[in-house]
Amino acid sequence: MNLSLNWLREYVDIPKKIKAEELGQSLTMHTVEVEEIRSEAEKFKDIVVGKIIEVKKHPNADRLQIALVDIGEEKLSIVCGAPNIAPGQKIPVALVGAVLPNGLEIKKAEVRGEVSKGMLCAPDEIGLGDDHSGILILDKNAKVAKPLAEHFKMEDTIIEVDNKSLSNRPDLWGHIGMAREISAIHGLKFKDYSYDLEKDSCKSDCEKLNIKVEDHKDCPRYMAVSMKGIKIADSPKWIQERLLAVGMRPINNIVDITNYVMLETGQPMHAFDKNLVDKIIVRKAKKGEEMKTLDGENRKLEENTIVIADSAKPLAIAGVMGGEDSEISSETKEIIFESANFDFVSVRKTSNKLSLRTESSARFEKGLDPNLCEKGLARAIDLVKQIIPEAEVSSDLVDHKKFELNLGPIEIELDWFEQILGIAIPTKKIINTLNNLGFSTEEKEDKIKVAIPTWRATKDVSIKEDIAEEIARIYGYDNIPGSMPKLEMSAPIQNTELKLLRKIREALKGLAFAEVYNYSFVNEEQLKKMGIDSSDYIPLANPLSANQTLLRQKISTNLISNVVTNQARFDKFSIFEIGTVFLNHAGEINKDNRSEEKLPYQESRLGMLIAANKDKGIFREAKGAAEAMFRELNIDIAFCESSAQSNWSDKQAMADIYLSDGRGSSAGVLLGTISKLDPKIAKSMGIKKSVTVMEFFVNEILTTSNKQQDKLYKPAAKYPALLRDLAFVVNKKIAFSDILKMIYDHNDYIEEVELFDVYEGESIGADNKNLAFRVRYQADRTLTADEVDNIQKELLKKLSEQFEAQIRDY
Amino acid sequence: MIEKINNLKKEILDKLSEIKDSKALADLEVFYLGRKGEFTKILRDISNVVPEKRAAMGKAANQIKKEIQEKVNEFKMQFESKETQEGEEDITLPGVKFETGHLHPITQLQYEMEDLFTSMGFMTLSGPELESDYYNFEAINIPPYHPARDTQDTFYIDSKNKEGENDLVMRTHTSSVQVRAMQKHGAPLKAIVPGRVFRSEATDVRHEHTFYQVEGFVIDRDITFSHMKGILELVGKKLFGPETKIRMRPKYYPFVEPGSNGEYTCFLCHGKGCNLCKKTGWLEILGSGMIHPNVLRAGGIDPDEYQGYAFGFGLNRLAQLRYKTDDVRLFNSGDLKFIKQF
């Protein structure tokens, strides 16, 4: 919102010594954020008054003329297309370098072979209305070479306020409200607009307007009055200047007055041509109703939209925009002024639905004070009478209202302010601040009773904390010193999940993994390529793009997409992500505390991925990374046959990852899965690398980790251990875990079995693999070599019987 | 016997003087002094000498062995120091490459914040990213059709409750955890909530729909606005250096009253005004305020007994300032060209 400093000055005495910058700064520090302060003259920078000396035809273009223009220091030759120029006229000249309000930059140019040094301006080109019929002809007495801004006596300063920072302050959407605020901040005199509707009322032959409000919930207040003797014309210059200064286009006197009143008081106004309206009903739109709004759009109205209608049709969308049918035109002789208050929720809904944001809807949806209707209407009548002396009120004042405001008073113990703010502010200062803001106060012993002014009572101020904010912000947050509370010491409850995740991250960092973040969203197409059925994925109601429509159920999906991002730049890489997945069934977290309903199930997952140019070994490398990471958590894992269906996994290389029983088999707790990405699927996704992905359930890791005992020191064995190597060839299909289990189960003296080599190659047969183990024998006495050799011999026999293992001798 | 030993000594010393490398020296050592070496054999023969002479002879023989051994060691040292000098190192060559990992820059910042706050006794809490309208909005004093919802373009989940409304959202702020935390832990309460939040906003260099916040709140009997300012000053100094100041000014958030934003002295120009801080000397970093009594009430805490403050930091904003990244989308890009810089 733009504020005109001159306009503000009408309502608050701002001494010259307070500069606009200071005002902007103080508004920012105490009330709302000021985005920019600019002199109004700036928009006419490099535009001066010129005098046309001669006009001649352009030699190469029928419609163009060349004007020789005196701008004081020199005479410029300027090509011009407008027909209305003649020698002797004073006109605005935009010099080379000027940037017009519409963004056009003036450059030295050649127009059909003739040099043109500047531009003569039409009114619309310099933001002075719509007129583009010809060059703006200035007053005869205009002084050549004078900057145009000076000629127009533009000496206003514009303070632009961030609208977002006004969303809780319906009272600040007009200059009067801001003036009050400035008066409170700087301790200046505030001069409110005073009015007397009674005095303005119709004295004789008063018409009774037929106006009905169907439901006061939609429209807490509807005030209206008609005025006759209206002559539609341009507004006087001072009104136009004000409107232009804050960026609003002048239209005609009546429309300009409604806008002026809104910008000044904050109350949106509407004027109907009385002859086009037989009666006024505020009601809900009927099914199928349509209307053409003032912007020329034909709008279908929803049934809950509040409209202003006559007996036949809707005339306006309440609080949002008027309609063309009852628009003020040059023919208008009599008008009805509407100054009303509409339900802010409804206005907001309607404006959102229609994507139609207007100055009016922006104000109504903040929850305007219903009492503001009076001030708006009074000011409008006042202005019409000033501008059109023949005009007079021709009807009784209509005032349909039903609303309640909580005006307090709020009773507050005076020392409570210190309790909440942490600083003692003198009572006198508290009272002054509140009074300057329009709160009336009554001090009673150690309490204060604060009555809320009507313009702050709709939604803004209702509790003592609101009052504390008023005092604190005017006092200045900057003037409240920071301090530290005296609190009891206590050790915070640990978040074991976050602690675990941090450990995991540190471990993976140590293993040369890089952490990535991906969006929580996936799309159907992506899932389809991976052979994943998306029907059970939770969809967004309002996705931003077709790429991000569903909530992820796996970390792996987007992690795999990261391969495409990185494959060109890196030969091999390891990445991980920790994030939430969302499943389409009820979880354990309550939706609210009123029902037993649950939020959809959500859990943290850890995804790990290794991608490399060649397949060679990355599946086992990934396993190794997982083992190493889990070692950090003191968890031993085992890889077991995969139980799940996964269309995107290479069937030859997928496994479930379990907590290990310490001997290479599952201890029954599923921690995650590992799989190689199917090469065909990879290709369809544009992936040129071999990829292995793992996905872990953080909850399961956490539970497992919580149960895990601390690492315990094992004293060195008293008796020497004996080591024996064991190597044999078996069919590839025989699982390592089965062999390992057999070795462990074979004899109690076998304490540790370590696989130290796996070999596959033609020399041992294509279907075979060679496994080499180192077996550690340990007992509570000294084992003899013979004893162990015998045990090992038995073991070899068992291995060849059960797995057809061919023993290789070293 | 002694003569035999002395002859052998001479033989050994002669051979030693001709030896050129440590390999030959080692062979020589084994040949004479090893377990089955010539010299050792002679020493063994001493046991056959008559007992009267044995002690003296043994002593003498050992003395000679010691001398030889010392001589051998001398040569050994010479060769070793000579040989290691051969094949000189280019000491300017870099080391063999060890691949190292990387934590996401936002993770790193988040940990920094977590560490700061836990050191002051704060709990670190998490909450659901897919949240109910109730906890994300209503419970923290943002009723339906509150204008504050304007500024928070919300991702809604495509599912409807009994009333036919979309009542599930992707949380728009970590403030959604406030009331959950109060209900679970009650007062007094000191907690921070780091996490991922969502706004339905088209992405470009400056806008992201998925970003990260750290929320914090303190509830106790005598917590004041001044205490809030105290802790936020401390955070500023920790993040941007000991000279950092805080500037607070009124800002409206429905869940706090009084409400405030927080700006820190621009760390680049130290408050003088530069492009980073848009010539203001200040960087807007956080939102804060005294927790609204309605929010305390929703959390089952009596606002007449307890009061508290809450604040929220945008981690993306902090990361962008600290690392001077020019495109906010990099954080969620999965692009290792970016991640590997941290």
Side-chain angles (χ1 to χ4, degrees):
Chain A
M1 188 171 68
N2 291 327
L3 297 168
S4 142
L5 187 57
N6 287 345
W7 205 334
L8 289 170
R9 283 183 197 278
E10 278 186 35
Y11 295 98
V12 57
D13 286 329
I14 304 171
K16 282 268 184 262
K17 67 173 200 279
I18 300 183
K19 295 272 175 300
E21 284 67 28
E22 190 185 340
L23 220 49
Q25 178 75 2
S26 67
L27 276 173
T28 296
M29 294 307 291
H30 299 279
T31 306
V32 290
E33 189 167 337
V34 169
E35 291 196 314
E36 196 188 13
I37 293 171
R38 55 181 184 266
S39 128
E40 195 200 358
E42 237 169 67
K43 70 176 179 186
F44 286 166
K45 196 166 174 277
D46 293 325
I47 304 176
V48 299
V49 175
K51 184 181 175 185
I52 298 177
I53 297 165
E54 62 169 52
V55 178
K56 57 182 183 187
K57 279 194 65 83
H58 190 294
N60 306 322
D62 287 348
R63 293 191 164 180
L64 296 179
Q65 305 182 81
I66 299 167
L68 189 64
V69 183
D70 179 10
I71 57 157
E73 284 178 5
E74 55 178 326
K75 295 180 176 62
L76 302 175
S77 172
I78 294 173
V79 177
C80 175
N84 69 330
I85 50 170
Q89 286 170 339
K90 306 273 176 67
I91 37 77
V93 184
L95 304 176
V96 170
V99 179
L100 300 186
N102 63 10
L104 182 72
E105 193 187 334
I106 306 300
K107 291 177 186 151
K108 186 178 160 184
E110 244 189 52
V111 184
R112 299 247 182 139
E114 291 293 319
V115 172
S116 181
K117 286 184 183 166
M119 182 176 133
L120 309 187
C121 305
D124 70 325
E125 286 163 338
I126 46 177
L128 297 176
D130 270 348
D131 189 4
H132 191 67
S133 59
I135 299 303
L136 176 65
I137 310 298
L138 301 171
D139 196 74
K140 275 196 188 90
N141 303 322
K143 248 181 115 183
V144 170
K146 202 174 198 177
L148 190 66
E150 263 178 55
H151 170 76
F152 281 130
K153 298 195 180 64
M154 277 185 175
E155 49 203 18
D156 207 350
T157 301
I158 304 305
I159 301 171
E160 192 182 343
V161 171
D162 174 23
N163 283 354
K164 271 190 202 155
S165 70
L166 286 170
S167 66
N168 62 322
R169 292 292 302 271
D171 64 309
L172 295 186
W173 285 78
H175 282 75
I176 295 178
M178 279 300 180
R180 182 188 293 112
E181 202 67 24
I182 291 168
S183 88
I185 296 168
H186 290 274
L188 303 170
K189 192 173 160 33
F190 173 58
K191 304 170 284 185
D192 201 355
Y193 174 69
S194 61
Y195 55 90
D196 182 356
L197 273 171
E198 192 53 41
K199 206 182 79 204
D200 286 336
S201 64
C202 171
K203 302 292 186 258
S204 59
D205 295 332
C206 300
E207 204 178 328
K208 284 208 173 343
L209 297 175
N210 185 354
I211 294 178
K212 200 179 147 202
V213 175
E214 280 195 350
D215 188 347
H216 273 296
K217 253 193 82 189
D218 297 338
C219 175
R221 191 167 197 179
Y222 197 96
M223 295 184 79
V225 77
S226 67
M227 293 189 83
K228 61 183 180 189
I230 301 295
K231 276 194 202 116
I232 300 300
D234 283 347
S235 299
K237 226 165 101 185
W238 65 271
I239 287 198
Q240 292 203 11
E241 278 171 6
R242 279 282 156 83
L243 296 180
L244 285 166
V246 298
M248 192 164 266
R249 191 162 55 89
I251 293 168
N252 60 47
N253 49 10
I254 294 301
V255 173
D256 290 355
I257 284 170
T258 60
N259 284 331
Y260 192 95
V261 170
M262 174 179 71
L263 294 168
E264 184 168 82
T265 65
Q267 172 66 44
M269 302 283 298
H270 192 68
F272 299 99
D273 184 329
K274 185 168 179 297
N275 291 329
L276 303 174
V277 176
D278 62 348
K279 65 193 262 193
I280 287 176
I281 313 166
V282 182
R283 61 166 168 84
K284 290 233 166 55
K286 292 172 189 158
K287 202 171 177 182
E289 264 185 331
E290 289 181 21
M291 68 169 289
K292 203 169 205 179
T293 42
L294 282 172
D295 55 2
E297 293 276 321
N298 205 41
R299 307 217 176 237
K300 290 195 173 89
L301 303 174
E302 295 210 3
E303 277 174 82
N304 52 12
T305 306
I306 309 169
V307 295
I308 317 299
D310 65 3
S311 55
K313 58 191 183 301
L315 305 169
I317 300 173
V320 182
M321 195 179 262
E324 278 192 346
D325 287 346
S326 55
E327 192 181 359
I328 303 297
S329 70
S330 54
E331 311 298 315
T332 303
K333 298 279 180 287
E334 196 168 0
I335 57 165
I336 298 174
F337 266 136
E338 165 198 292
S339 182
N341 189 279
F342 299 105
D343 174 46
F344 63 88
V345 171
S346 171
V347 169
R348 211 180 98 90
K349 275 188 188 172
T350 300
S351 146
N352 276 348
K353 275 260 165 59
L354 298 173
S355 297
L356 184 59
R357 314 225 74 140
T358 60
E359 290 279 341
S360 162
S361 72
R363 286 172 171 79
F364 277 121
E365 68 175 33
K366 305 297 182 293
L368 289 177
D369 172 19
N371 288 320
L372 189 61
C373 298
E374 293 172 21
K375 194 187 259 183
L377 191 57
R379 183 62 169 146
I381 295 168
D382 177 9
L383 285 171
V384 173
K385 283 181 169 174
Q386 275 186 49
I387 291 166
I388 314 170
E390 313 86 281
E392 57 179 316
V393 174
S394 58
S395 76
D396 285 344
L397 177 71
V398 175
D399 185 6
H400 295 313
K401 60 181 170 183
K402 193 182 173 193
F403 61 89
E404 264 176 67
L405 292 173
N406 171 17
L407 301 176
I410 307 170
E411 202 176 86
I412 308 167
E413 293 185 14
L414 275 162
D415 63 3
W416 177 80
F417 291 114
E418 186 177 352
Q419 281 168 35
I420 188 96
L421 300 175
I423 183 174
I425 299 174
T427 305
K428 206 177 148 211
K429 195 153 194 169
I430 290 176
I431 289 172
N432 258 342
T433 299
L434 291 173
N435 294 160
N436 287 344
L437 288 167
F439 294 80
S440 53
T441 51
E442 190 188 322
E443 201 188 338
K444 217 174 161 189
E445 288 163 31
D446 47 4
K447 287 185 182 145
I448 186 171
K449 276 185 170 178
V450 182
I452 305 162
T454 165
W455 60 88
R456 302 294 300 275
T458 43
K459 294 187 309 173
D460 180 14
V461 175
S462 59
I463 54 173
K464 60 181 179 180
E465 284 77 4
D466 298 326
I467 304 294
E469 176 170 276
E470 294 304 302
I471 294 163
R473 69 184 179 83
I474 298 296
Y475 183 77
Y477 288 178
D478 247 18
N479 297 321
I480 300 177
S483 65
M484 280 294 172
K486 292 184 181 65
L487 295 178
E488 275 177 41
M489 294 253 278
S490 64
I493 300 168
Q494 293 249 12
N495 186 326
T496 48
E497 180 179 335
L498 292 185
K499 207 176 145 195
L500 172 82
L501 293 180
R502 196 186 278 215
K503 222 167 168 184
I504 289 176
R505 283 192 172 99
E506 292 297 340
L508 290 174
K509 185 185 169 198
L511 294 165
F513 277 72
E515 183 183 25
V516 296
Y517 286 5
N518 281 298
Y519 290 124
S520 305
F521 312 119
V522 290
N523 68 74
E524 215 174 307
E525 192 56 32
Q526 178 190 3
L527 296 174
K528 208 164 150 191
K529 275 187 187 159
M530 295 179 71
I532 299 172
D533 175 17
S534 61
S535 61
D536 200 33
Y537 274 59
I538 301 175
L540 286 177
N542 54 338
L544 272 175
S545 83
N547 287 331
Q548 298 168 342
T549 53
L550 307 169
L551 299 191
R552 65 180 174 190
Q553 296 200 350
K554 289 184 198 320
I555 287 291
S556 307
T557 35
N558 283 334
L559 210 51
I560 288 169
S561 306
N562 293 148
V563 177
V564 181
T565 314
N566 293 301
Q567 59 187 359
R569 176 73 182 255
F570 301 95
D571 285 345
K572 183 179 172 188
F573 51 90
S574 314
I575 53 177
F576 77 99
E577 180 178 10
I578 294 170
T580 310
V581 299
F582 309 86
L583 305 187
N584 205 351
H585 60 79
E588 286 150 10
I589 306 170
N590 278 333
K591 235 181 183 177
D592 49 47
N593 55 348
R594 300 173 290 213
S595 70
E596 283 306 301
E597 279 184 81
K598 307 288 182 191
L599 290 178
Y601 183 78
Q602 308 167 50
E603 68 170 19
S604 284
R605 297 267 180 91
L606 159 67
M608 289 165 66
L609 177 148
I610 300 183
N613 282 345
K614 278 185 197 133
D615 183 18
K616 201 92 184 149
I618 63 161
F619 187 67
R620 277 197 70 204
E621 196 177 324
K623 284 172 157 184
E627 285 166 344
M629 179 202 80
F630 277 104
R631 223 165 17 242
E632 286 292 310
L633 309 177
N634 198 18
I635 292 173
D636 192 12
I637 55 170
F639 300 94
C640 308
E641 197 169 321
S642 174
S643 56
Q645 288 295 315
S646 167
N647 290 332
W648 50 273
S649 298
D650 181 342
K651 300 290 167 295
Q652 308 300 318
M654 55 191 285
D656 287 345
I657 303 175
Y658 281 90
L659 171 68
S660 163
D661 63 354
R663 294 180 156 198
S665 294
S666 156
V669 183
L670 180 65
L671 299 174
T673 58
I674 177 170
S675 62
K676 215 188 271 182
L677 181 62
D678 183 276
K680 278 207 287 295
I681 301 243
K683 204 173 166 196
S684 79
M685 296 176 76
I687 289 174
K688 296 185 180 114
K689 294 212 186 295
S690 177
V691 175
T692 292
V693 197
M694 293 182 282
E695 180 149 345
F696 295 97
F697 309 103
V698 171
N699 285 341
E700 300 304 326
I701 301 179
L702 182 62
T703 322
T704 307
S705 155
N706 285 345
K707 281 188 203 150
Q708 223 60 17
Q709 280 170 352
D710 286 340
K711 285 176 181 165
L712 288 179
Y713 166 69
K714 272 188 232 153
K718 273 190 199 140
Y719 303 96
L722 289 182
L723 298 176
R724 290 290 180 274
D725 286 353
L726 183 62
F728 49 86
V729 173
V730 287
N731 190 286
K732 273 183 187 171
K733 284 190 180 128
I734 293 169
F736 162 78
S737 60
D738 293 341
I739 295 170
L740 188 68
K741 188 173 178 342
M742 167 182 280
I743 301 176
Y744 269 122
D745 290 347
H746 176 63
N747 189 288
D748 283 348
Y749 296 146
I750 295 180
E751 200 196 54
E752 201 184 333
V753 183
E754 187 197 345
L755 175 77
F756 69 85
D757 187 40
V758 181
Y759 173 76
E760 289 173 7
E762 287 298 324
S763 62
I764 57 167
D767 294 337
N768 292 336
K769 61 186 171 191
N770 177 61
L771 300 175
F773 294 90
R774 180 152 296 157
V775 184
R776 183 183 166 91
Y777 292 87
Q778 176 80 60
D780 275 345
R781 59 182 172 82
T782 307
L783 288 166
T784 66
D786 285 351
E787 198 178 1
V788 167
D789 288 343
N790 280 334
I791 298 173
Q792 181 112 346
K793 219 176 273 167
E794 288 292 316
L795 174 59
L796 290 172
K797 207 174 127 199
K798 222 193 260 181
L799 283 167
S800 58
E801 278 167 18
Q802 204 147 334
F803 301 125
E804 292 173 13
Q806 305 153 27
I807 311 307
R808 299 180 92 199
D809 224 347
Y810 284 102
Chain B
M1 189 79 179
I2 287 292
E3 195 189 324
K4 204 172 169 190
I5 294 174
N6 274 327
N7 284 344
L8 202 53
K9 179 185 169 188
K10 189 172 178 295
E11 186 183 326
I12 294 170
L13 291 181
D14 286 349
K15 282 200 176 160
L16 259 182
S17 61
E18 283 162 26
I19 275 178
K20 297 265 176 343
D21 59 35
S22 60
K23 171 82 176 60
L25 179 71
D27 289 346
L28 178 132
E29 197 181 353
V30 170
F31 185 79
Y32 290 104
L33 302 173
R35 220 147 45 97
K36 293 173 182 171
E38 294 299 311
F39 198 87
T40 319
K41 270 185 210 159
I42 291 176
L43 287 183
R44 252 184 230 132
D45 288 343
I46 292 174
S47 59
N48 300 329
V49 175
V50 286
E52 304 88 82
K53 289 188 181 170
R54 202 183 298 160
M57 194 173 286
K59 207 178 166 191
N62 271 325
Q63 180 59 39
I64 292 168
K65 186 184 174 184
K66 207 177 152 198
E67 277 169 34
I68 298 170
Q69 188 67 54
E70 271 168 16
K71 207 78 195 167
V72 168
N73 288 349
E74 213 172 276
F75 272 87
K76 218 186 250 174
M77 297 250 290
Q78 272 179 26
F79 286 132
E80 270 170 16
S81 63
K82 213 185 263 170
E83 277 164 22
T84 46
Q85 274 168 20
E86 276 169 8
E88 267 171 54
E89 284 282 352
D90 174 356
I91 50 106
T92 64
L93 277 178
V96 172
K97 197 176 171 191
F98 276 72
E99 199 63 47
T100 47
H102 304 267
L103 291 189
H104 195 283
I106 287 187
T107 299
Q108 295 183 36
L109 261 176
Q110 183 185 318
Y111 283 169
E112 204 174 299
M113 295 285 260
E114 284 179 23
D115 290 344
L116 172 64
F117 283 103
T118 46
S119 76
M120 295 189 287
F122 282 65
M123 287 194 278
T124 310
L125 303 177
S126 335
E129 289 174 7
L130 194 174
E131 183 55 282
S132 61
D133 186 277
Y134 174 75
Y135 282 110
N136 194 72
F137 291 126
E138 264 193 86
I140 54 169
N141 206 31
I142 315 177
Y145 297 101
H146 194 288
R149 292 195 181 198
D150 264 6
T151 54
Q152 303 206 346
D153 301 309
T154 311
F155 279 120
Y156 283 91
I157 300 301
D158 193 7
S159 71
K160 298 214 159 109
N161 63 5
K162 282 172 233 134
E163 287 76 39
E165 295 155 340
N166 290 320
D167 68 339
L168 295 176
V169 304
M170 299 308 285
R171 66 174 175 194
T172 58
H173 41 213
T174 40
S175 309
S176 59
V177 185
Q178 278 190 22
V179 168
R180 287 191 182 278
M182 292 176 205
Q183 288 171 348
K184 190 169 174 195
H185 300 283
L189 184 62
K190 269 195 293 182
I192 57 160
V193 187
R196 173 179 276 208
V197 301
F198 308 83
R199 302 272 168 93
S200 161
E201 191 168 15
T203 56
D204 61 32
V205 174
R206 297 183 332 116
H207 299 93
E208 244 301 357
H209 57 61
T210 298
F211 51 100
Y212 305 84
Q213 291 184 334
V214 173
E215 178 91 0
F217 37 90
V218 173
I219 302 168
D220 210 329
R221 289 200 163 77
D222 304 310
I223 294 296
T224 68
F225 191 96
S226 164
H227 294 147
M228 170 170 82
K229 197 167 170 183
I231 207 144
L232 294 174
E233 268 168 359
L234 195 126
V235 177
K237 290 184 200 305
K238 169 86 179 170
L239 286 173
F240 301 117
E243 301 302 316
T244 308
K245 290 193 175 58
I246 188 168
R247 185 173 89 160
M248 297 177 86
R249 50 192 175 84
K251 183 140 183 182
Y252 172 67
Y253 302 99
F255 34 96
V256 288
E257 190 72 39
S260 168
N261 81 345
E263 297 166 311
Y264 291 122
T265 325
C266 176
F267 60 86
L268 202 62
C269 62
H270 305 287
K272 288 188 202 77
C274 63
N275 283 337
L276 185 69
C277 58
K278 298 191 188 113
K279 313 274 178 219
T280 63
W282 299 96
L283 294 169
E284 187 170 349
I285 301 281
L286 62 100
S288 63
M290 300 302 290
I291 301 174
H292 197 285
N294 287 352
V295 179
L296 290 171
R297 246 174 247 125
I301 292 173
D302 179 1
D304 289 330
E305 195 182 346
Y306 288 99
Q307 56 197 31
Y309 61 77
F311 54 83
F313 287 84
L315 285 177
N316 292 59
R317 167 114 173 108
L318 283 179
Q320 283 207 276
L321 288 172
R322 172 170 296 185
Y323 304 117
K324 302 204 174 68
T325 57
D326 54 0
D327 187 344
V328 69
R329 293 169 299 186
L330 286 168
F331 294 109
N332 295 321
S333 66
D335 189 340
L336 293 175
K337 290 199 292 291
F338 172 68
I339 300 290
K340 288 197 168 192
Q341 295 183 32
F342 300 97

